[in-house]
Amino acid sequence: MLELRNITKIYNPGTITEMCLFDSFDLVVGDGEFLSIVGSNGSGKTSLLNIICGSIPIEQGEVLIGGDNIAKMQDYKRYNKIGRVYQNPAMGTCPHLTILENMSLADNKGKTFGLTSGINKSRRKFYQEQLAILGLGLENKLDIKVGLLSGGQRQALALIMSTLTPIEFLILDEHTAALDPNTAEIIMQLTDKVVKEKKLTAMMVTHNLRYAAEYGNRLIMMNSGEIVLDRAGQDKLETSIDELLQLFNKISIECGN
Amino acid sequence: MNNLLDLLISTLTQGLVYALLSYGVYITYKILDFPDLTVDGSFPLGAAVTAVMMTSGFNAWLTLPASLLAGALAGLITGIIHVRFKVRDLLAGIITMTALFSINLQIAGSNLIVDRNTATIFTSPVVEKILGSTSLITRKLVVSLIIVLLAKVVLDLYFKTKSGLLLRAVGDNSVLVTSLAKDKGTVKIIGLVISNALVALSGSIVCHEQRAFSSTMGTGQVVFGLATVIIGATLFQKFDIIKGTTAALIGSIAYKAVMQLAISLGLPANLLKLITAVLFLAILIFGNYQKKNAGRIIQKGSSHA
Ligand SMILES: Nc1ncnc2c1ncn2[C@@H]1O[C@H](COP(=O)(O)OP(=O)(O)OP(=O)(O)O)[C@@H](O)[C@H]1O
Ligand SMILES: [Mg+2]
């Protein structure tokens, strides 16, 4: 279980640009929940994920995983349990390394990076199978530098890499935003499949209200650092895209956006 | 004719010996994306350690591991200053470099000459036995070549290990390293350690070659290293298969050849650094020009400390 308790996040504290984004923010995400997060630009979705992953400091509050407070734990240690795909396709892969090298790195997560061979030839087949699921032909390009791939291809690779080893949490930040509609659909279905198969707890930020409504078993909408809608189970199933859109517009108008 | 051959051989030897420094700069500048100025201090550090050991009667070969170790320590310090105390990369290097200047003076004074009777790695009994009657200049070439190629093979093998792969990843996209649950700071420190160990080794061999240490011998070595790495990269831009270490090696030889040519053509030694600066600028401009023409496809992932 993932729990955020009484979180305060202030950007640029003590300066004229000081901005309090979260004030006594609480959120509980149960094991196996697939939580979709929607909300207008600047509502704090990425910041929320950054707080969970330890990418940004918080002023106050607790981040609990399985009851342990990890608010002071360094970011990289948290990733033992977390896989993450970023909004920016460049963040999830190494451009100057080949697909094979990138996959090998991802495959070794959680183990030591010692003086044994970086690439395990016998895993080639396995990587190819994993990449073939994407249907992008990446399985035939193992020796190509990742920087030569398109943004969408890189993003797809990043998703495969982030879930290659056992993790508990999958954190996705608009991970389909850079993809064409077809690839986006494939990636969404793959995401859903991986989350179910590996029984992950997932948090997915998206601007695609249809994905938010269709996928996952819980949905929250955020607005300036607050949760303004939280639906799970049957309620979530009955939430239509139209209803989401109406609510989204209503909030936007109220806030003068 | 003989003179010319000697000149060629000694120029080549210079290029080889300094290639070790280029490997080091290749690791920090090209792989880690870290402009490391420690080099100006760790290069003479290797020479200082070597000169002192030789004049104190240590076996010549022992100076090599000792210099490696000393350089590694210098890299470790820069790494800790940068990673743990969050000092910017350039400044972290400058701090260590400045400190090393005094430390080198402490170790070996401002100048230290190794006398003619002391065996260097080039005149050591083992080398005498194997290379026998060949001239000193040939022996210098052969021994340097062996050391430099050995270092290259070891480095190339290292880059293929898991640790080496992680090192390459951290300069390419440090965010990914964090996602792999690894501390990117530690990986950077490892890179700086290896780099400066090589740089000090280069200083050590130069000391063997010249039989002398001078406290100012580090000045401009960073620029030399950067220039050679960039020459190498520019020359082989189109050849993806050429290894970075090979490019650095050839860059180093090319650089020393150009400098030797300039001297042979009567350029006053006082102007050498000026020529270095001009050459360096020319390489950078040429490199940028080529890049623009090629239309950069591969974009660097964000990499911050
Ligand atoms: N590093 C930062 N420094 C100062 N303010 C920041 C910083 N990062 C985010 N903010 C502010 O925090 C607020 C929330 O930003 P955040 O990136 O979390 O929004 P988001 O919901 O992810 O938006 P988007 O949908 O555009 O990705 C914004 O008002 C933004 O300006
Ligand atoms: Mg965002």
Side-chain angles (χ1 to χ4, degrees):
Chain A
M1 193 166 75
L2 176 75
E3 218 179 326
L4 297 180
R5 263 192 218 156
N6 196 24
I7 302 280
T8 304
K9 170 68 205 171
I10 302 169
Y11 277 117
N12 308 319
T15 66
I16 37 165
T17 55
E18 179 175 295
M19 199 267 286
C20 179
L21 179 58
F22 293 117
D23 185 21
S24 355
F25 182 90
D26 295 291
L27 176 68
V28 179
V29 185
D31 285 335
E33 249 177 19
F34 184 164
L35 172 67
S36 303
I37 305 169
V38 296
S40 54
N41 295 124
S43 56
K45 306 178 298 297
T46 300
S47 302
L48 173 65
L49 301 184
N50 280 339
I51 288 168
I52 293 170
C53 295
S55 323
I56 55 172
I58 50 173
E59 274 56 44
Q60 190 189 308
E62 295 179 343
V63 180
L64 302 146
I65 284 188
D68 300 326
N69 186 5
I70 59 158
K72 295 249 152 58
M73 188 191 268
Q74 277 184 293
D75 57 353
Y76 72 93
K77 288 184 184 153
R78 303 188 194 191
Y79 283 99
N80 276 311
K81 292 185 174 163
I82 299 176
R84 186 172 187 185
V85 184
Y86 296 84
Q87 193 166 352
N88 176 356
M91 305 275 258
T93 50
C94 284
H96 289 82
L97 301 185
T98 63
I99 294 185
L100 181 61
E101 287 168 333
N102 272 279
M103 290 291 279
S104 305
L105 277 171
D107 199 13
N108 202 52
K109 177 170 170 175
K111 304 190 195 110
T112 45
F113 284 79
L115 294 178
T116 53
S117 173
I119 288 157
N120 186 346
K121 288 226 172 69
S122 63
R123 296 287 278 172
R124 228 184 138 94
K125 195 95 199 277
F126 169 70
Y127 299 152
Q128 280 175 326
E129 284 163 14
Q130 295 294 308
L131 293 170
I133 302 172
L134 296 171
L136 296 172
L138 294 183
E139 64 277 14
N140 304 320
K141 295 183 176 167
L142 279 189
D143 299 310
I144 278 184
K145 292 228 167 97
V146 168
L148 298 172
L149 301 178
S150 73
Q153 288 171 325
R154 283 183 75 168
Q155 194 69 326
L157 177 62
L159 176 66
I160 297 283
M161 283 169 63
S162 67
T163 55
L164 207 56
T165 48
I167 46 167
E168 287 175 35
F169 301 95
L170 183 59
I171 304 281
L172 307 163
D173 193 352
E174 296 182 41
H175 70 309
T176 60
L179 311 178
D180 71 56
N182 278 333
T183 314
E185 201 66 50
I186 294 171
I187 295 296
M188 260 325 299
Q189 283 166 12
L190 179 69
T191 307
D192 196 44
K193 191 171 144 233
V194 171
V195 169
K196 282 177 182 148
E197 270 175 12
K198 301 199 173 183
K199 299 194 172 60
L200 302 176
T201 303
M203 298 178 72
M204 176 181 76
V205 169
T206 179
H207 283 301
N208 188 321
L209 296 181
R210 182 169 69 78
Y211 290 162
E214 236 170 67
Y215 295 94
N217 45 28
R218 183 175 166 197
L219 185 155
I220 61 174
M221 185 180 289
M222 293 186 57
N223 186 49
S224 53
E226 281 172 31
I227 296 173
V228 292
L229 176 85
D230 187 345
R231 291 201 176 157
Q234 196 59 32
D235 278 354
K236 154 83 167 61
L237 280 179
E238 285 165 6
T239 305
S240 70
I241 304 172
D242 282 344
E243 194 187 341
L244 280 178
L245 195 59
Q246 268 169 20
L247 190 64
F248 200 98
N249 287 336
K250 192 170 143 243
I251 291 166
S252 297
I253 291 163
E254 274 171 15
C255 297
N257 282 2
Chain B
M1 186 60 213
N2 241 345
N3 269 344
L4 185 64
L5 190 66
D6 280 1
L7 193 63
L8 277 177
I9 293 180
S10 77
T11 307
L12 187 58
T13 308
Q14 287 283 312
L16 289 171
V17 173
Y18 280 88
L20 292 166
L21 187 156
S22 301
Y23 296 164
V25 173
Y26 168 73
I27 292 175
T28 45
Y29 180 71
K30 268 282 177 190
I31 296 185
L32 288 184
D33 200 12
F34 187 116
D36 178 27
L37 299 187
T38 317
V39 171
D40 274 16
S42 52
F43 180 79
L45 174 67
V49 168
T50 303
V52 165
M53 284 178 75
M54 302 259 281
T55 47
S56 320
F58 280 91
N59 180 295
W61 293 102
L62 272 184
T63 63
L64 302 186
S67 305
L68 278 169
L69 214 64
L73 203 64
L76 180 69
I77 289 167
T78 301
I80 289 174
I81 293 175
H82 172 61
V83 171
R84 302 289 171 236
F85 299 115
K86 310 213 182 317
V87 175
R88 280 185 48 191
D89 46 13
L90 276 173
L91 293 180
I94 289 175
I95 290 168
T96 314
M97 177 190 84
T98 308
L100 281 174
F101 193 81
S102 286
I103 290 170
N104 292 337
L105 285 174
Q106 282 296 313
I107 295 175
S110 56
N111 283 294
L112 190 58
I113 308 288
V114 180
D115 76 48
R116 292 247 151 249
N117 303 320
T118 310
T120 66
I121 51 171
F122 306 113
T123 58
S124 66
V126 198
V127 176
E128 300 259 273
K129 200 176 265 172
I130 300 168
L131 295 176
S133 59
T134 51
S135 66
L136 180 61
I137 190 167
T138 320
R139 267 186 272 165
K140 282 184 177 176
L141 177 68
V142 174
V143 173
S144 311
L145 187 68
I146 291 170
I147 293 174
V148 169
L149 289 183
L150 201 68
K152 184 180 140 48
V153 170
V154 171
L155 266 186
D156 287 343
L157 284 175
Y158 172 70
F159 291 145
K160 290 195 176 134
T161 64
K162 294 196 168 77
S163 172
L165 205 54
L166 202 61
L167 185 75
R168 287 157 65 203
V170 87
D172 214 9
N173 177 8
S174 64
V175 174
L176 180 74
V177 173
T178 307
S179 304
L180 294 172
K182 286 285 157 195
D183 183 9
K184 63 185 180 203
T186 308
V187 183
K188 278 190 187 175
I189 293 176
I190 292 173
L192 284 162
V193 163
I194 300 175
S195 166
N196 282 289
L198 286 164
V199 171
L201 181 65
S202 179
S204 168
I205 297 176
V206 168
C207 175
H208 279 281
E209 213 246 312
Q210 300 178 344
R211 289 183 173 275
F213 158 81
S214 118
S215 60
T216 57
M217 66 193 283
T219 314
Q221 298 302 349
V222 170
V223 174
F224 161 79
L226 289 173
T228 58
V229 167
I230 295 168
I231 295 176
T234 311
L235 284 177
F236 299 112
Q237 210 160 41
K238 300 226 164 59
F239 306 92
D240 219 24
I241 15 150
I242 302 278
K243 293 199 173 82
T245 45
T246 313
L249 174 66
I250 294 172
S252 172
I253 294 170
Y255 184 97
K256 288 292 173 192
V258 170
M259 281 298 157
Q260 189 56 57
L261 190 70
I263 295 169
S264 304
L265 291 177
L267 182 89
N270 282 347
L271 289 183
L272 270 186
K273 294 279 187 236
L274 182 64
I275 299 298
T276 302
V278 173
L279 188 65
F280 191 33
L281 181 65
I283 296 161
L284 286 176
I285 293 171
F286 180 67
N288 278 345
Y289 171 77
Q290 274 210 333
K291 238 181 263 169
K292 220 179 273 165
N293 274 2
R296 290 277 278 178
I297 314 166
I298 298 181
Q299 268 169 11
K300 276 229 142 183
S302 65
S303 57
H304 294 287

